[in-house]
Each structure stands twice: as C-alpha cells, then as structure tokens.
Amino acid sequence: MQVWIGRNGERFGPYRDDEIRQWLRDGTCRPEELGWYEGMTDWRPLGELFPDDRPAPGGIPPVPPASPPFMGITDVAEPEYAGFWLRFGAWVIDYVILMVPFTIISLSMGLGAVMNTFFKQMETDRSAAITAYAEAVQPITLVLLVLGFIYYAFFESSKWQATPGKMAVGIRVTDSDGRRISVGRAAGRNAVRLVNAFSFLIPMVFYIVAAFTQRKQGVHDLLAGTYVLMGRADAAPVVTPAPRGGPGGSFDA
C-alpha cells in the first residue's frame, strides 16, 4: 500500500506502509500527523491508520522539530490545478442556478412588457425597436450584473472557497498561500470578470487563457493572485505553493 503523509502544509510520498509503521515505532513520524492512501475520502491521523504501531516501550522519543528533514522523501506533491473544462462545467452550473433569481427579477422589472413592445415594433421599424429594447433593459442588466458579482464574491471568499457550481465539480479558489481569499480579493477578482462580460470582441478570452497558462490561471486569476485547485475546502489539506520558477512550476489555477 502506498501512503502519502501531510506535514507542515505539504504532502510527502508516497511511501510503503511498512516504512511508515517503522517510522511510527522509532518516532520519526508522530501519530497525529495526517496520512492518505488511494480510496480514502479524507486525510486521517497516522495513529488511526496504523493503531498497532507506537514507539517501543522504555521511553517516548523526543518530538521532532517543527520542520525536520523528512527521511526518505521521494516526491513533494504539487497542488492539482483545475483545468479549463472543469471550470467551464462549474460556470454552467452556476449559470443555471443564477437563472432562477435572474428570471424572477427580470420579470418583476417588466421584461415581459419590454419583450412584447419589442416584437410589435420589429414589425414596423427594426432599428428603432432594437434601440428602444437596449435602453429598456439597461436597468435590468445592471441589477443582474450586481447580483452575479455579489454571488461570486460572497461564495469564493466564504469558508467553502467556492460557488455552488465549483463545489459541485470539486474545485476551490485560493490565494497564493493556498488559503481562503479575502472579500476584497474576491471582489477584485470578480471585478475583472465583469470587464470580460463587456468585452464583446473577446467574450471568453479571460477564461480561455486558463487552458494555456502553466498553472491554469485565467486573466482574472493572474491579476488577483488567485488559483483554482482541485478538492473541496472542507476536505483538502492546505498546500503551500512553490515559488514561481521553482521545480515543476508554482501554485496556479
């Protein structure tokens, strides 16, 4: 069995289970440190995974220092960055969710009457109909944009670190330290997204960039210093990103 170990915000391994048993017995690993192997849904203390392996009788070995060199490191796991299509799927789910309040608000603000007027005017003067329609829906569009902005900024800065769409596909938004982003950063990130909403010549360019950047960051991620990672916030351990230009690249989304 191959087991990963979590220590000081990083993942080490994988190691054979017999190696970890020996490290638990000689004090190299502590029972409260986290472990994970394929098939588990969450990280668990090593003491629960290997309950029969404890330091030998005759004395408790000294507690290792906070950041010891880890014996037998074979690899330091990089965070898994969410790709373009997974993020697109999250966007579709959020869009469907938002369509419910969007429809209710639009109809309550008179969209039905605007549409009826628009179709009647189209029979006589198409140019005037389009102009009148664009002016009539401006207040509705503004309200919907504000609602969408609040939706994304609230959820992405919340304890879930993700909108319902992102939670559904199992991804989350983090800062450069792999942690929950602030309300201000979430607002800035989504303000950039609003700019994209008005970029009619390049409507999806901010998102398409994520398919080509090293750490799958969109333009809004690059400007806000955020990343979209695999895993839900309530299940994934915090992983400190590697510095830019380091081995294997840095922490991106």
Side-chain angles (χ1 to χ4, degrees), residues 5-18:
I5 292 178
R7 175 180 284 188
N8 300 321
E10 293 183 311
R11 291 181 291 177
F12 297 93
Y15 308 101
R16 300 191 313 272
D17 59 329
D18 59 323

Side-chain angles (χ1 to χ4, degrees), residues 154-162 167 172 180-181 232-234:
F154 169 76
F155 278 110
E156 291 177 353
S157 63
S158 70
K159 65 179 182 180
W160 303 291
Q161 298 177 236
M167 284 188 275
R172 69 192 191 281
R180 172 181 172 180
I181 63 175
R232 295 169 62 109
D234 56 359

Side-chain angles (χ1 to χ4, degrees), residues 11-203:
R11 291 181 291 177
F12 297 93
Y15 308 101
R16 300 191 313 272
D17 59 329
D18 59 323
E19 292 179 301
I20 295 176
R21 292 177 188 276
Q22 178 59 43
W23 291 337
L24 283 168
R25 289 193 293 267
D26 64 22
T28 300
C29 289
R30 299 190 301 276
E32 63 270 21
E33 290 181 303
L34 298 178
W36 179 89
Y37 56 81
E38 188 173 356
M40 292 178 59
T41 59
D42 200 357
W43 291 73
R44 304 297 300 170
L46 293 175
E48 293 184 15
L49 300 182
F50 306 99
D52 298 329
D53 296 286
R54 291 289 188 273
I60 303 298
V63 176
S67 301
F70 201 82
M71 183 182 299
I73 291 179
T74 58
D75 182 37
V76 178
E78 284 287 329
E80 293 184 71
Y81 310 119
F84 171 78
W85 288 111
L86 198 59
R87 296 175 65 172
F88 179 75
W91 177 83
V92 171
I93 295 172
D94 285 322
Y95 180 80
V96 172
I97 292 172
L98 284 169
M99 281 303 297
V100 175
F102 279 7
T103 301
I104 294 173
I105 291 172
S106 297
L107 293 176
S108 68
M109 294 182 68
L111 180 62
V114 171
M115 293 295 293
N116 288 334
T117 302
F118 170 73
F119 287 123
K120 289 179 181 178
Q121 289 182 333
M122 285 289 287
E123 298 175 358
T124 56
D125 189 341
R126 293 189 176 184
S127 178
I130 293 172
T131 301
Y133 175 80
E135 292 178 354
V137 298
Q138 279 183 356
I140 300 174
T141 301
L142 179 61
V143 170
L144 299 186
L145 284 173
V146 171
L147 177 61
F149 175 83
I150 294 173
Y151 173 90
Y152 278 93
F154 169 76
F155 278 110
E156 291 177 353
S157 63
S158 70
K159 65 179 182 180
W160 303 291
Q161 298 177 236
T163 60
K166 287 184 174 68
M167 284 188 275
V169 300
I171 61 179
R172 69 192 191 281
V173 180
T174 77
D175 64 10
S176 57
D177 293 320
R179 300 182 184 278
R180 172 181 172 180
I181 63 175
S182 65
V183 175
R185 180 167 293 191
R189 181 178 191 271
N190 288 286
V192 177
R193 291 177 65 254
L194 284 181
V195 174
N196 184 60
F198 290 102
S199 302
F200 299 109
L201 296 178
I202 45 175

